[in-house]
Amino acid sequence: MAAIIMGVNKGRKAGLKQESYKERRDDIGEHVSEHNDPTAKGTEEPVARFQRFIRENVLYKRKRLHRVNLAERLHFESATTLGLLRFFNQLMVFALFVAALSFSSDQEVKRGILTTLDNEFDFEGISDVARRDQFVSESMAGISEKSKEFFILSNKYFDDQGIGSTQLIRDITTFSGPKLSTPVQLAVLEFSFTAWVKVVPQFVEGYILRKRLVPDGPASGLACWGWYLSMNAGPQFHYGCHDFFQSATTDRQISVGLSTPGSLAADQFHMLTMVVDQSKVHFYRNTDYLGAVDLPRPVTDCFNDGEGLLVGESGMDLSLVRFHPRALTMSSIEELFAGGSLLSDISTGSQPSDAEPEGLKSTERALASSIGSVNDAVSSRQASSEINQVLKTITEERASPPPPPPGTPAEPVDAPLGNINASSIASTDAATGKDYYSLAFGPWRLSPTSEAADHRSLVNLPNAEGQGFTMSWWYRHMPCSKSTCGVFLFVLRDDTRTCYGVWLETVALWFENALGTPSFQYPQNFVDQKFQLNDDFNWRHMALVFDETTDIVKFYMDGKFVVDGPWGSAVTGADCNGPNKFMALGRYGPFDYTYGADVDIYDFRQYIHTSGPLTDADILAIATAPTPELDASKKCLSIDSLLMADSSYQDTFGHDCEWFFKNKKDFPSLCTLSDAARECPVACGSRQQCVSTEPDPPMFVSWDRIRRIESVGSNGTICLAGALTPEKVKADCEAWTAQHVAANGNLGVVAADFEAWADSVLNSRRGRRVNMTSCEELMASIDPECTFDQKAVEDFTAAVNANGGDWTIAFWIRPTGEESKIHELGNFYPHVQFLGKLSPPQHNLAVGLWANPNGEARIYSECADSRDNIELTAADDQGWTFVAITRRNPRPDGPALFSSVLTNAVQREEGSTMHQCLHDPAGTGLFFSALEINYPAIMSPIMMVPHAVSVSELQRSYLDGADSMRAKTGPASAASTGGGQIPVIKEQFKSPAVLIAPPIIFQRRAAAAEACPNQFSRTLIQRQHAKMLLSQCKAPFECPPELVASPAELLYCHGDASEEAPHLGLTPMAFQGTTGYADFLTSVTEPAFLYRNSTLYQASDFIDSLTTGASVMLVFFNPQASLTTVLGVSANFAESSAAEVEVSVRHFEIIEGPQLSDYLIVQILVLLNVALMLVDIVMSMIETAKIATDESMHLIEEQRFMDRQRAEAKAMRVKLQHKHDTQLANKGGWRAGAPSNSAVEGQVVFGHHFGAPAAASAPAASKPTIQIPR
């Protein structure tokens, strides 16, 4: 309505203006006509005056009134129509605007998003921040952390159950020793570790991180897997202490590293990376690839009972220590190096899980540790009490030794002092028929000498000049707690020279020739350690042959040749026969009484070679000849002797031989208990194996590590030889079963080709067995990951067949848990079947539970109907059990055949009449082509020796391995480093908006400048810098060069920022009309370091005192409402420490499809209506301009008309004045010089028409008035 009224008024105003102009012209014209018409008004006739009155007031007035009304009406109608159109146009625009608003999302959605963002990010708290440091430490970090909850792909919503990416250390941490962190599980086949590392110059080597197996004990310093750093050898990867099997090495874990690792500078941070894949380990320093090393075997993880992960070492600073469950590429390493995070993590809001232990877990671990400490303390006190009891028994036994058994030779007595006469009469040796001279018989105990009064010297010695000779004696060494101990046993001298001498040492032998070249021989470790001189319990025969035919000296132990060497001169000149010839016994020389020791000697002889040197057979005959004066049980024995093996002895306190073995290291005297020394020769080392020159038989192993074998099928797992595929097994099984059914009708009929297997399955069995006659069950039981070295089994089988059929198979086995036990019995029984063939099933060896209560080993033969059954002793239900099965086949000239089983240290043996023939050795060439493990178990490699290993050797293997095996838990899963997959649990995403891009931070900066606003500030900066140079940076202190060179590095004012100056490796960029520096918010809040453009920066330096403002932007999206929300946080740092923070939230909506089409139609209509409005406005402006122009023209015309009228009126006035003057002159009524009032009167007349001042119309009272007619 307002628009209509406005239009009507506007039209009316324009029409009236036009009419009023015309009326005024008519009025003026009429008045002028009256003035020009001499007959007007006063002079016209009455009739004429009446007619004019009628015309003006009746006729013409009515006509003018009609014209004005018509104009007003027409103008009103026109304006009304125009107003209505304008109203409709604006109504359409409003309606279309409302329609456009209807396309927008529900305001409730926007309100919900705003509320969510406010609750999560705490807008009020952010806005209340008033300090720069608070904004950096709280706001930026809080926004970065909270933003991760809005990434739908964040690992907050994809739970990797703690076995994914893990951050062990975040901030820079200085270590004085390892710190305990929560464990990392290797659940994948490939993985990587990254760490920023700095070491002090004094650092030598240590672990960056290590997953330990046990917290204390011998294995506590080892690693299930660990990252090791050596300043000399570089980075290394250690692994496998939990599943390393040291069958042929003294190593306890695997260590791999680079041969040329390069240098690592101290006191500098470096980002080190270790990438482990299935076959290699790769090392990086920063972004430099150092190289790769082959892994000798796959990596497995361990279960260390919650003992966690040790991180760091003394002398290390670490930061951003991370585990990545993938093999990092070079590009990924560069991303971590430059930005502190992977771009994939930044773009999804993911981050490694924090490895810091939770409080409850820490408490549980501390409680468990405390309980463990209490238990250890109790166990330690109990063990100490038990040891004291045994030591007390030993003390009592020494005080009152039990009488030796009848016929036992006496112990050696002290050798006489001074000169001792040797026998001058030769005797004949019954064993060889050779003559010899007895130099000293004994048995004697030699003791250290210190002076002439206690020396021992052999005199009246035989003369061997010009001949070779052999020295033979029995010897018992000293106890030695060091790595080696020695004694000069004898030295021959006369007044002219030292002839020869012999030094005996635990690990070496010395014989010297003062005149020879060389003058001595010093062979070391010439025999295996087990044959060396290591105690004072066992007598050893020794011989030294001076061979005159070769000038070689040969040394024999236990009748076996062990080492030789050149004499250095003619052997025939070795002996000397000068004045005062003697042999110093148990010392070095005539006036040197040192190098003696408490050793025993017996039957010291000299054979002079009259018919050539003594042979090897001669020496062996002498060594094995009867020695009535020596206790036979204290002489070396053959390894096969049963006297070399531990018995089932227990002392009066119930301690068995294994107990003595465990404790003798700390208490060596425990094994001096006479019964223990006699009954536990292996555990106590109380009997000596004679030197054997036979090479040790080879040992083959099935696989290279301790393995975890789970049950694949319902009745167990089948492990195949490496070249045997499941497809081949299936084809063979189907072919055999089809053949058997065709021949026998059904598989229930037992045929001869699998009769032995059927017997083991059908008769007396109390454990599981895989039904090999069912191809489906057979295939379902095969574990493709569980394979063994077929070549090793082939070589073992070939050696067994070559040596007559003797073999030994041994392995360690332990349960994985309750699932490994036979439930109805509640105990663990080893169940391992060694199958020569699968179809038909045939086994050469089976271990399991049948009739014997503890289980048994069964040995089968293809060429015999019988089998050997040997009972096992009870296996450990929780720990390791050592099982060794030995088979000795009969030989015409060999020992009796037997089969035996050793379970831990306990041996069970049975005689046998069965000759074992392997099943189908020609067909497969394998003792076993498959293994059947019926219950879950952890197994060592299967050790295969083509020899009947003695009981004592097997006991030694068990005792030596038991301690280290006790700590080994085996791998945590059956596959190498897990199954290669990390199961993920998807958590529900509840936020109404999704963050679609990483948060961005943009900062504006000023430049540091010395040019401050006033002179005092500039002077202060200069003076403080000069003072710094004379104090803080004065020798011996050295400040950074840039600080020394520029005062602005110390103190500065803000200057104009350079548009090209980089900051933290970033180049300036334009954003929202200003220039500054942009980065991912995560990159400046998460890592400690950023490496850009070959420079290492601290991420915390991104915002500093030169930052004048900073903005953080987050972009969210709501899929349901197609709504984009931009959250902005702006901080203005007006002062050096103050901050003014504002938070803004803006919404943007997306429309598409039919809705977009409708929206476009609405917008087009809006544009059309707006265009019409614009056209109307333009036309109105044109019309208004036209009216204004017309009015201006009318005013100009009127002004011109008025000017003409005034001119005409003035002329008329002059004319009338002249006429009046003429009339007066004619009448004589005018006097010259009289003032005229015509001008004034004229003003009165014309003032009536043209608005002259009223005061001017009043004539002076003293003057006559001139009446001018109207």
Side-chain angles (χ1 to χ4, degrees):
M1 183 61 70
I4 296 176
I5 295 172
M6 181 180 68
V8 171
N9 290 339
K10 185 174 181 180
R12 177 183 295 173
K13 183 177 181 181
L16 292 177
K17 283 184 178 181
Q18 295 176 5
E19 186 64 27
S20 64
Y21 294 152
K22 186 173 182 181
E23 290 176 355
R24 291 184 68 183
R25 286 197 303 270
D26 292 343
D27 291 343
I28 293 172
E30 290 175 359
H31 292 313
V32 172
S33 298
E34 291 173 357
H35 290 303
N36 293 335
D37 188 1
T39 62
K41 301 235 181 189
T43 59
E44 64 182 342
E45 293 296 326
V47 176
R49 292 171 65 92
F50 179 74
Q51 291 175 346
R52 184 172 64 80
F53 175 80
I54 293 299
R55 185 176 63 250
E56 293 179 355
N57 294 283
V58 177
L59 298 178
Y60 290 165
K61 186 173 182 180
R62 181 181 299 172
K63 180 180 180 180
R64 184 172 62 234
L65 288 173
H66 291 172
R67 184 177 66 224
V68 171
N69 289 340
L70 178 61
E72 289 182 353
R73 179 178 179 181
L74 293 175
H75 284 299
F76 177 78
E77 291 177 353
S78 174
T80 301
T81 301
L82 182 62
L84 288 172
L85 290 175
R86 288 173 175 167
F87 174 75
F88 179 75
N89 177 263
Q90 294 187 19
L91 184 63
M92 283 293 296
V93 171
F94 177 77
L96 292 171
F97 174 73
V98 173
L101 288 178
S102 69
F103 289 98
S104 176
S105 62
D106 189 353
Q107 296 301 315
E108 292 296 329
V109 176
K110 297 179 181 178
R111 186 178 300 108
I113 294 174
L114 178 63
T115 302
T116 299
L117 296 180
D118 187 10
N119 291 336
E120 294 297 329
F121 290 97
D122 187 15
F123 291 166
E124 183 177 357
I126 294 175
S127 300
D128 290 343
V129 170
R131 299 195 318 274
R132 179 195 306 260
D133 60 337
Q134 187 182 5
F135 178 78
V136 172
S137 62
E138 297 179 10
S139 300
M140 287 173 52
I143 293 173
S144 176
E145 184 62 28
K146 277 293 182 182
S147 68
K148 295 178 175 59
E149 299 181 6
F150 291 87
F151 279 101
I152 195 169
L153 297 181
S154 171
N155 57 1
K156 289 181 177 291
Y157 303 104
F158 290 84
D159 184 10
D160 55 22
Q161 304 176 70
I163 55 179
S165 297
T166 305
Q167 184 164 257
L168 304 173
I169 298 291
R170 175 180 177 179
D171 300 325
I172 299 175
T173 305
T174 300
F175 290 85
S176 58
K179 294 183 179 179
L180 186 64
S181 177
T182 52
V184 169
Q185 297 183 40
L186 301 183
V188 291
L189 300 175
E190 299 177 342
F191 56 92
S192 307
F193 285 97
T194 57
W196 284 90
V197 181
K198 182 177 75 172
V199 297
V200 298
Q202 297 78 18
F203 178 80
V204 178
E205 58 187 0
Y207 281 102
I208 297 174
L209 53 88
R210 174 172 66 95
K211 187 172 184 179
R212 63 182 179 181
L213 184 61
V214 289
D216 50 32
S220 61
L222 302 177
C224 295
W225 45 261
W227 190 6
Y228 196 77
L229 179 62
S230 169
M231 294 302 286
N232 295 324
Q236 299 175 7
F237 181 47
H238 295 177
Y239 70 100
C241 78
H242 61 290
D243 63 357
F244 186 82
F245 191 74
Q246 60 274 29
S247 58
T249 177
T250 58
D251 294 337
R252 305 180 69 185
Q253 63 185 10
I254 297 174
S255 301
V256 291
L258 299 170
S259 57
T260 56
S263 60
L264 183 71
D267 287 332
Q268 295 182 22
F269 270 103
H270 304 269
M271 194 183 89
L272 301 183
T273 303
M274 181 179 68
V275 179
V276 180
D277 58 30
Q278 298 184 51
S279 60
K280 295 180 182 292
V281 55
H282 307 260
F283 297 102
Y284 298 80
R285 183 180 63 244
N286 297 336
T287 55
D288 297 329
Y289 181 60
L290 301 180
V293 184
D294 291 332
L295 294 174
R297 66 167 177 80
V299 180
T300 63
D301 199 7
C302 70
F303 174 73
N304 65 352
D305 198 23
E307 287 302 326
L309 191 69
L310 292 177
V311 181
E313 189 61 81
S314 177
M316 277 186 186
D317 282 6
L318 297 178
S319 177
L320 292 181
V321 181
R322 291 175 177 174
F323 163 73
H324 309 268
R326 64 180 66 86
L328 294 178
T329 62
M330 176 60 81
S331 60
S332 299
I333 294 171
E334 290 172 347
E335 291 171 8
L336 290 168
F337 191 55
S341 296
L342 296 171
L343 290 180
S344 59
D345 287 345
I346 294 177
S347 63
T348 60
S350 299
Q351 64 179 0
S353 58
D354 192 356
E356 289 299 322
E358 300 176 7
L360 180 58
K361 292 183 178 179
S362 299
T363 304
E364 290 175 350
R365 182 177 290 121
L367 180 60
S369 177
S370 299
I371 295 173
S373 298
V374 172
N375 291 337
D376 290 344
V378 172
S379 299
S380 177
R381 284 195 294 270
Q382 181 178 354
S384 177
S385 175
E386 293 176 356
I387 290 171
N388 288 333
Q389 288 177 331
V390 178
L391 293 177
K392 181 180 179 181
T393 302
I394 293 173
T395 303
E396 294 172 350
E397 184 179 81
R398 287 177 179 174
S400 178
T408 302
E411 284 295 306
V413 297
D414 291 339
L417 299 178
N419 292 332
I420 304 170
N421 287 314
S423 174
S424 59
I425 301 174
S427 302
T428 301
D429 180 6
T432 62
K434 304 288 186 179
D435 291 340
Y436 70 91
Y437 293 90
S438 179
L439 305 185
F441 192 67
W444 287 343
R445 166 62 57 93
L446 304 181
S447 57
T449 58
S450 60
E451 56 186 16
D454 59 4
H455 80 93
R456 298 178 178 93
S457 300
L458 298 176
V459 296
N460 296 325
L461 298 169
N463 181 16
E465 279 188 302
Q467 296 174 297
F469 55 92
T470 296
M471 309 297 293
S472 169
W473 67 95
W474 286 88
Y475 174 79
R476 192 158 63 173
H477 201 51
M478 68 198 78
C480 184
S481 59
K482 300 180 295 183
S483 60
T484 185
C485 303
V487 61
F488 258 113
L489 187 60
F490 56 87
V491 178
L492 181 66
R493 293 176 178 273
D494 63 15
D495 288 347
T496 60
R497 62 188 177 98
T498 297
C499 306
Y500 56 84
V502 173
W503 163 273
L504 289 178
E505 190 177 334
T506 305
V507 299
L509 167 70
W510 171 293
F511 52 92
E512 67 172 273
N513 175 9
L515 302 179
T517 304
S519 60
F520 67 90
Q521 293 292 326
Y522 185 49
Q524 301 182 59
N525 297 306
F526 50 85
V527 291
D528 189 274
Q529 183 180 2
K530 61 185 177 182
F531 302 131
Q532 292 176 353
L533 304 173
N534 58 4
D535 62 56
D536 63 346
F537 185 81
N538 293 286
W539 287 98
R540 312 291 299 277
H541 181 267
M542 299 179 181
L544 200 61
V545 176
F546 289 75
D547 190 341
E548 67 275 14
T549 63
T550 59
D551 293 328
I552 296 292
V553 178
K554 299 178 180 180
F555 184 65
Y556 294 77
M557 290 181 67
D558 304 328
K560 300 295 179 68
F561 166 77
V562 291
V563 69
D564 63 8
W567 177 238
S569 63
V571 164
T572 55
D575 198 3
C576 54
N577 197 29
N580 299 318
K581 175 183 175 181
F582 72 97
M583 180 176 288
L585 194 61
R587 60 190 177 95
Y588 182 64
F591 306 107
D592 188 346
Y593 302 98
T594 59
Y595 303 110
D598 290 319
V599 296
D600 297 336
I601 191 171
Y602 166 71
D603 197 8
F604 189 18
R605 302 178 180 183
Q606 183 176 24
Y607 292 80
I608 298 178
H609 300 165
T610 57
S611 57
L614 270 64
T615 64
D616 292 349
D618 292 334
I619 301 298
L620 180 60
I622 297 170
T624 56
T627 54
E629 292 78 10
L630 299 183
D631 186 347
S633 65
K634 296 183 179 180
K635 294 170 64 174
C636 72
L637 299 170
S638 168
I639 192 63
D640 293 323
S641 171
L642 292 180
L643 294 176
M644 289 288 294
D646 288 349
S647 68
S648 57
Y649 161 80
Q650 289 187 344
D651 68 5
T652 54
F653 305 105
H655 304 138
D656 58 11
C657 292
E658 187 175 354
W659 183 88
F660 282 90
F661 179 82
K662 291 178 181 178
N663 292 284
K664 74 171 185 177
K665 182 176 180 180
D666 296 325
F667 302 92
S669 60
L670 288 175
C671 279
T672 62
L673 185 69
S674 59
D675 289 344
R678 182 181 62 256
E679 299 294 333
C680 304
V682 178
C684 287
S686 53
R687 288 203 173 92
Q688 174 65 50
Q689 178 187 353
C690 294
V691 171
S692 173
T693 56
E694 296 294 327
D696 288 337
M699 184 175 72
F700 306 94
V701 293
S702 58
W703 46 70
D704 56 4
R705 64 190 183 277
I706 296 171
R707 304 188 71 159
R708 186 184 190 97
I709 301 173
E710 303 286 359
S711 286
V712 174
S714 58
N715 288 315
T717 298
I718 302 293
C719 301
L720 301 178
L724 188 60
T725 64
E727 293 76 15
K728 179 71 165 54
V729 171
K730 182 178 181 182
D732 290 347
C733 181
E734 291 175 347
W736 169 69
T737 54
Q739 180 182 359
H740 182 86
V741 170
N744 300 282
N746 61 72
L747 292 172
V749 178
V750 177
D753 58 357
F754 69 103
E755 184 177 6
W757 176 86
D759 173 68
S760 72
V761 172
L762 300 176
N763 298 326
S764 306
R765 176 179 59 88
R766 290 191 287 171
R768 299 173 186 163
R769 290 297 298 274
V770 175
N771 184 5
M772 301 291 180
T773 63
S774 168
C775 296
E776 292 78 9
E777 183 174 343
L778 173 62
M779 296 305 299
S781 302
I782 294 176
D783 182 358
E785 295 292 328
C786 182
T787 61
F788 54 87
D789 186 354
Q790 179 170 323
K791 181 64 167 56
V793 181
E794 288 176 352
D795 294 343
F796 165 71
T797 307
V800 168
N801 291 329
N803 73 3
D806 292 356
W807 53 264
T808 299
I809 288 180
F811 55 88
W812 294 81
I813 190 168
R814 67 179 294 171
T816 61
E818 291 299 316
E819 64 277 6
S820 300
K821 300 178 181 179
I822 296 180
H823 296 302
E824 58 270 23
L825 300 176
N827 299 110
F828 171 66
Y829 300 86
H831 272 73
V832 183
Q833 322 303 323
F834 295 79
L835 296 155
K837 289 186 66 176
L838 290 173
S839 300
Q842 298 170 345
H843 41 33
N844 295 308
L845 173 64
V847 178
L849 181 63
W850 286 277
N852 289 304
N854 295 320
E856 61 191 68
R858 291 185 169 188
I859 300 175
Y860 295 87
S861 175
E862 189 177 29
C863 55
D865 293 333
S866 61
R867 64 171 184 266
D868 289 348
N869 297 349
I870 312 98
E871 183 180 359
L872 280 68
T873 53
D876 194 320
D877 288 333
Q878 295 182 342
W880 288 101
T881 298
F882 180 68
V883 179
I885 305 100
T886 299
R887 169 69 186 180
R888 174 173 290 161
N889 258 356
R891 295 174 180 80
D893 56 348
L897 70 160
F898 67 90
S899 298
S900 71
V901 172
L902 186 85
T903 312
N904 292 342
V906 180
Q907 186 245 6
R908 301 285 177 87
E909 179 178 309
E910 288 190 9
S912 177
T913 59
M914 180 189 73
H915 183 87
Q916 185 186 26
C917 305
L918 300 181
H919 283 281
D920 195 25
T924 64
L926 298 177
F927 187 97
F928 56 95
S929 61
L931 292 170
E932 177 186 346
I933 297 96
N934 301 106
Y935 292 87
I938 299 175
M939 284 187 67
S940 74
I942 297 174
M943 297 164 281
M944 301 168 284
V945 181
H947 174 75
V949 180
S950 68
V951 176
S952 62
E953 289 178 292
L954 293 175
Q955 288 177 333
R956 169 61 64 181
S957 296
Y958 165 72
L959 293 174
D960 287 343
D963 190 50
S964 62
M965 291 297 292
R966 194 172 291 113
K968 296 181 185 296
T969 58
S973 63
S976 301
T977 57
Q981 300 294 329
I982 299 177
V984 173
I985 299 175
K986 177 63 174 69
E987 302 289 347
Q988 185 178 3
F989 182 80
K990 299 180 180 180
S991 173
V994 178
L995 193 61
I996 59 176
I1000 300 296
I1001 184 169
F1002 179 83
Q1003 68 154 305
R1004 303 174 298 279
R1005 296 181 60 78
E1010 299 179 46
C1012 294
N1014 55 69
Q1015 180 60 39
F1016 179 79
S1017 300
R1018 295 191 292 271
T1019 302
L1020 175 65
I1021 292 175
Q1022 294 292 337
R1023 288 181 177 178
Q1024 291 298 316
H1025 185 261
K1027 187 175 181 180
M1028 176 199 73
L1029 296 177
L1030 297 175
S1031 57
Q1032 305 299 331
C1033 298
K1034 184 178 180 180
F1037 303 102
E1038 182 179 7
C1039 294
E1042 60 272 15
L1043 178 60
V1044 174
S1046 174
E1049 294 290 331
L1050 175 66
L1051 188 62
Y1052 51 80
C1053 294
H1054 284 184
D1056 295 333
S1058 170
E1059 296 186 357
E1060 298 180 356
H1063 175 62
L1064 246 67
L1066 302 172
T1067 55
M1069 61 179 298
F1071 180 71
Q1072 294 183 342
T1074 185
T1075 300
Y1077 304 85
D1079 204 344
F1080 293 118
L1081 180 62
T1082 304
S1083 295
V1084 298
T1085 58
E1086 294 288 335
F1089 301 101
L1090 298 171
Y1091 192 89
R1092 293 167 178 168
N1093 300 330
S1094 302
T1095 305
L1096 186 66
Y1097 302 96
Q1098 289 204 10
S1100 58
D1101 292 339
F1102 181 77
I1103 301 293
D1104 58 18
S1105 57
L1106 291 176
T1107 302
T1108 60
S1111 300
V1112 178
M1113 181 178 295
L1114 298 90
V1115 181
F1116 301 87
F1117 184 73
N1118 182 291
Q1120 180 65 35
S1122 298
L1123 191 67
T1124 300
T1125 302
V1126 179
L1127 170 61
V1129 178
S1130 300
N1132 181 27
F1133 304 126
E1135 299 179 5
S1136 59
S1137 61
E1140 298 178 0
V1141 183
E1142 296 180 354
V1143 180
S1144 64
V1145 177
R1146 294 176 293 166
H1147 301 288
F1148 303 88
E1149 190 168 354
I1150 296 175
I1151 56 175
E1152 59 186 2
Q1155 190 181 24
L1156 177 61
S1157 301
D1158 295 343
Y1159 182 77
L1160 290 176
I1161 292 172
V1162 170
Q1163 290 299 316
I1164 291 171
L1165 292 175
V1166 170
L1167 290 175
L1168 290 175
N1169 282 276
V1170 171
L1172 291 175
M1173 293 179 65
L1174 291 175
V1175 170
D1176 179 60
I1177 291 172
V1178 172
M1179 295 300 295
S1180 298
M1181 291 176 64
I1182 294 173
E1183 182 67 24
T1184 302
K1186 183 177 179 181
I1187 293 174
T1189 301
D1190 291 344
E1191 185 174 356
S1192 299
M1193 294 301 296
H1194 291 162
L1195 289 175
I1196 293 172
E1197 184 181 353
E1198 183 178 352
Q1199 184 64 36
R1200 290 175 179 174
F1201 177 76
M1202 295 294 291
D1203 290 343
R1204 286 194 304 271
Q1205 291 296 322
R1206 287 189 183 95
E1208 292 175 358
K1210 183 177 180 180
M1212 184 180 292
R1213 189 168 60 250
V1214 172
K1215 182 178 179 181
L1216 291 176
Q1217 183 66 38
H1218 179 69
K1219 181 178 179 181
H1220 179 67
D1221 290 344
T1222 302
Q1223 289 177 353
L1224 291 179
N1226 292 332
K1227 292 180 179 181
W1230 182 77
R1231 292 178 301 177
S1236 175
N1237 290 325
S1238 57
V1240 177
E1241 291 169 357
Q1243 291 175 1
V1244 172
V1245 173
F1246 290 100
H1248 176 76
H1249 293 286
F1250 302 105
S1257 64
S1262 58
K1263 297 182 179 180
T1265 301
I1266 300 176
Q1267 298 292 333
I1268 299 176
R1270 296 180 58 89

